[in-house]
């Protein structure tokens, strides 16, 4: 029984899911092809290194300035949005946010929701919540629609179905929608469009995310390439936008460099096909647009990150996904391995604030610390530094009072004792010489298993003679020092 429990726990862990992903040749091929393409597109989009670094510095300053004034800007945003006729709701938890969304839909006696792409709605598990209350919530982003149809979660924050190739999508459409299989991508897109177009007109409520919320004007800005975001926010009589509190920026001028960084870093595009600016519901003399617009501002652990001067930098993220595209770990194991909404490097530093380190104890260590994520981040989040900080928080004892939610999840008295021994060994010359003498003479008695590392490596065996001994022998023979 205990062995079955252990196997089940392993399968549900990051390590277990990573092992499965590494054994899936098709998955690894799909990710390798996609990541190579995205990395090249980003490089081509920033041909001038000076301009790129200048933009990154500017983006970092804009986000840091907004975060330094976050409480004031959120109050200003609420005031301006209210003046524009948008109803603002505050939610501390995802449960509270879902209750707010459900109450708005229920007040309209709605039963059908069409949703544009939104990572915050994924945080909330909105689709599942609404389905449990008899409300159909259909994803209108093509990638999101594909993963919803297959009963999956997104594997990338920009391209949710990046783990599938065209043949897999074609088979999915054949199995679920009864259409003929085809390798023609345009035909596959048309299949999705035909299904979605009627839903836009039938929906009682449209839901969207927000890329930037502008405090100065009370504007919700949304970028997209497919037009589904514009349809979701204008065709239904009610529009509900959901976003994290960190998405607020000071003014419209700040949005210009951030937009350039976002689109070029994410997809290598100078600009997306659609840039939607929503400042209120339909007015009496206007022909289209929703009758009501609501904004749900979600915390979900963000104030915890905000309160920590170093971890606050995680809130700079503009959700471009560039760190994932360049991460050697993410590229090999894919997004589903992380088991949470946000995968990859950014997920490793964002998720602990939302769910606690005790739920994702392996995330901070699932990195080679190669630094690629920090080098490509458009707003210069020092992801490797923050991962090291989380690793430290992960092994703190209760007495050390971890400052990150769920800290101390990997604390081990045994490991702490080993490192104290190691520190003493390397700071005491006499103890070091005594240990070296014993290691060179009794090294073959060392254990052959030394934790997970020796699952794939041979255990190190101390040499019969130390470097000092070899050097001394050479000197005694009158030879030059090696």
């Amino acid at each position: 029984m205990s062995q079955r429990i252990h196997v089940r726990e392993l399968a549900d862990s990051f390590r277990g899911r990573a092992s499965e992903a590494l054994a899936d040749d098709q998955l690894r091929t799909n990710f390798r092809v996609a990541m190579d393409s995205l990395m090249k597109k980003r490089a081509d989009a920033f041909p001038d290194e000076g301009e790129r670094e200048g933009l990154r510095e500017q983006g970092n300053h804009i986000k840091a300035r907004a975060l330094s004034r976050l409480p004031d800007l959120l109050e200003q945003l609420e005031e301006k949005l209210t003046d524009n006729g948008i109803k603002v709701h505050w939610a501390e938890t995802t449960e509270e946010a879902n209750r707010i969304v459900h109450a708005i839909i229920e007040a309209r006696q709605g039963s059908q929701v069409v949703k544009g792409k939104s990572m915050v709605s994924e945080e909330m598990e909105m689709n599942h919540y609404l389905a449990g209350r008899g409300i159909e919530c259909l994803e209108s982003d093509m990638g999101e629609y594909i993963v919803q149809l297959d009963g999956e979660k997104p594997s990338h924050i920009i391209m949710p179905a990046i783990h599938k190739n065209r043949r897999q999508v074609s088979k999915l459409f054949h199995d679920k929608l009864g259409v003929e299989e085809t390798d023609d991508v345009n035909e596959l897109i048309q299949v999705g469009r035909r299904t979605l177009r009627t839903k836009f007109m039938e929906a009682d409520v449209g839901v969207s995310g927000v890329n930037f919320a502008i405090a100065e004007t009370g504007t919700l800005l949304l970028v997209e390439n497919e037009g589904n975001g514009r349809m979701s926010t204008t065709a239904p009589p009610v529009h509900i936008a959901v976003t994290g509190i960190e998405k607020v920026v000071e003014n419209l001028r700040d949005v210009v460099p951030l937009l350039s960084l976002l689109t070029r870093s994410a997809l290598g595009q100078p600009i997306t096909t659609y840039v939607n600016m929503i400042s209120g519901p339909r007015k009496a003399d206007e022909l289209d647009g929703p009758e009501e617009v609501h904004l749900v501002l979600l915390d979900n652990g963000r104030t915890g990150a905000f309160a920590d001067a170093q971890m606050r930098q995680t809130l700079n993220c503009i959700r471009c996904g560039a760190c994932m595209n360049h991460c050697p770990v993410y590229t090999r194991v894919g997004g589903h391995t992380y088991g949470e909404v946000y995968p990859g490097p950014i997920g490793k530093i964002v998720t602990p604030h939302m769910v606690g380190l005790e739920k994702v104890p392996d995330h901070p260590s699932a990195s080679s610390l190669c630094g690629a994520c920090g080098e490509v981040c458009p707003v210069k989040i020092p992801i490797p530094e923050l991962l090291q900080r989380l690793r430290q928080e992960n092994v703190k004892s209760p007495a050390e009072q971890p400052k990150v939610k769920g800290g101390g999840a990997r604390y081990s008295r045994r490991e702490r004792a080993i490192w104290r021994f190691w520190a003493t060994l390397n700071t005491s010359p006499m103890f070091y010489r005594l240990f070296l003498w014993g290691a060179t003479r009794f090294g073959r008695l060392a254990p052959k298993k030394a934790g997970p590392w020796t699952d794939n490596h041979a255990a190190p065996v101390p040499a019969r003679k130390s470097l000092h001994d070899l050097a001394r022998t050479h000197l005694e023979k009158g030879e030059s020092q090696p």
Side-chain angles (χ1 to χ4, degrees):
M1 174 65 76
S2 61
Q3 175 143 4
R4 286 201 299 270
I5 292 173
H6 173 73
V7 170
R8 187 167 63 248
E9 288 176 347
L10 180 63
D12 291 338
S13 69
F14 180 91
R15 293 172 185 270
R17 290 188 296 267
S19 296
E20 291 179 6
L22 290 171
D24 188 333
D25 292 339
Q26 184 62 65
L27 179 74
R28 294 187 65 183
T29 299
N30 292 350
F31 269 98
R32 184 71 273 163
V33 170
M35 297 301 105
D36 286 347
S37 173
L38 288 168
M39 287 192 291
K40 183 180 185 305
K41 286 180 180 178
R42 177 190 175 275
D44 292 343
F46 289 106
D48 187 330
E49 182 180 353
E51 184 226 10
R52 181 193 68 212
E53 294 307 307
L55 265 178
R56 291 180 69 221
E57 192 68 31
Q58 190 176 2
N60 177 268
H61 286 319
I62 289 169
K63 288 295 293 181
R65 172 163 40 87
L67 287 175
S68 71
R69 299 188 54 220
L70 185 60
D72 293 337
L73 289 181
L74 286 170
E75 289 183 7
Q76 182 184 2
L77 176 68
E78 180 181 29
E79 181 183 349
K80 291 294 183 180
L81 288 171
T82 303
D83 290 344
N84 293 344
I86 296 176
K87 299 175 183 178
V88 179
H89 311 264
W90 300 82
E92 185 174 350
T93 64
T94 56
E95 177 65 26
E96 187 178 354
N98 277 322
R99 286 199 301 267
I100 291 168
V101 170
H102 181 244
I104 296 169
I105 298 171
E106 200 172 41
R108 298 285 302 204
Q109 297 182 327
S111 61
Q112 292 190 58
V113 173
V114 63
K115 184 160 75 70
K117 194 172 185 320
S118 164
M119 292 307 298
V120 169
S121 71
E122 294 291 342
E123 281 182 51
M124 296 162 57
E125 295 187 330
M126 182 191 296
N127 295 2
H128 178 73
Y129 183 92
L130 294 179
R133 286 150 184 81
I135 298 170
E136 178 191 9
C137 191
L138 183 69
E139 297 285 353
S140 63
D141 173 89
M142 184 57 67
E144 293 278 1
Y145 176 65
I146 289 168
V147 296
Q148 183 183 37
L149 202 61
D150 207 18
E152 295 180 324
K153 290 186 177 182
S155 61
H156 192 285
I157 62 175
I158 297 295
M159 294 147 289
I162 199 170
H163 57 292
K164 295 182 182 294
N165 60 31
R166 69 179 73 183
R167 290 186 298 277
Q168 291 170 314
V169 174
S170 176
K171 186 176 187 312
L172 175 67
F173 281 5
H174 171 73
D175 294 342
K176 299 290 185 178
L177 303 177
V179 298
E180 292 294 326
E181 292 192 41
T182 176
D183 281 345
D184 188 330
V185 174
N186 289 328
E187 179 58 31
L188 291 173
I189 292 172
Q190 292 305 320
V191 170
R193 282 179 175 170
R194 286 194 292 269
T195 305
L196 292 169
R197 278 174 180 165
T198 57
K199 294 295 184 180
F200 286 125
M201 304 312 298
E202 295 172 356
D204 306 297
V205 175
V207 173
S208 77
V210 176
N211 289 101
F212 304 107
I214 299 131
E216 180 185 55
T217 57
T219 303
L220 307 178
L221 189 143
L222 175 65
V223 297
E224 46 144 345
N225 277 317
E226 299 175 14
N228 64 295
R230 182 162 294 183
M231 291 294 288
S232 298
T233 59
T234 56
V238 178
H239 169 213
I240 304 173
V242 293
T243 189
I245 58 174
E246 81 281 11
K247 291 297 184 69
V248 64
V249 294
E250 194 168 348
N251 52 55
L252 280 168
R253 289 189 303 276
D254 289 343
V255 171
V256 178
L258 290 176
L259 269 181
S260 180
L261 285 166
L262 172 60
T263 58
R264 292 158 81 181
S265 298
L267 297 168
Q269 294 178 274
I271 193 170
T272 52
T273 307
Y274 299 93
V275 178
N276 307 296
M277 294 189 183
I278 301 163
S279 295
R282 181 174 63 196
K283 294 180 175 59
D285 59 344
E286 292 178 335
L287 299 178
D288 55 17
E291 300 165 14
E292 295 178 24
V293 178
H294 298 260
L295 173 66
V296 180
L297 286 162
L298 177 65
D299 182 347
N300 194 28
R302 288 165 173 82
T303 52
F306 177 77
D308 187 305
Q310 184 182 22
M311 299 308 300
R312 179 183 299 179
Q313 296 173 94
T314 61
L315 302 180
N316 282 351
C317 179
I318 57 175
R319 304 295 192 266
C320 69
C323 60
M324 301 177 193
N325 304 341
H326 292 74
C327 176
V329 177
Y330 174 87
T331 300
R332 284 160 178 78
V333 301
H336 290 150
T337 296
Y338 295 81
E340 297 293 333
V341 174
Y342 298 101
I346 191 62
K348 296 172 202 169
I349 63 173
V350 167
T351 305
H353 301 292
M354 297 178 178
V355 304
L357 267 171
E358 75 278 6
K359 189 175 178 184
V360 287
D362 290 327
H363 280 203
S365 299
S367 169
S368 64
L369 295 181
C370 65
C373 51
E375 291 174 6
V376 300
C377 176
V379 287
K380 302 187 76 170
I381 301 173
I383 298 176
E385 293 177 22
L386 300 183
L387 285 173
Q388 291 180 67
R389 165 70 189 286
L390 288 172
R391 290 182 182 188
Q392 294 166 7
E393 294 287 335
N394 219 4
V395 297
K396 281 185 176 180
S397 69
E400 292 171 306
Q401 298 180 340
K403 294 181 175 62
V404 174
K405 181 180 178 182
R410 281 282 187 251
Y411 172 69
S412 164
R413 291 180 183 274
R414 179 187 175 191
E415 186 174 325
R416 184 64 60 91
I418 290 172
W419 284 115
R420 281 177 178 165
F421 167 78
W422 184 257
T424 303
L425 174 66
N426 286 276
T427 53
S428 170
M430 184 180 70
F431 190 28
Y432 180 81
R433 285 194 292 270
L434 179 62
F435 178 82
L436 200 61
W437 181 88
T440 54
R441 286 154 179 80
F442 307 105
R444 295 195 177 278
L445 299 178
K448 297 297 185 289
K449 297 291 290 182
W453 191 83
T454 52
D455 289 344
N456 300 296
H457 302 79
V461 178
R464 291 184 179 276
K465 288 188 177 183
S466 70
L467 180 62
H468 286 178
D469 291 337
L470 291 172
R472 190 178 300 110
T473 301
H474 282 291
L475 288 173
E476 288 173 355
K477 291 180 178 181
E479 299 177 12
S480 61
Q481 187 173 346

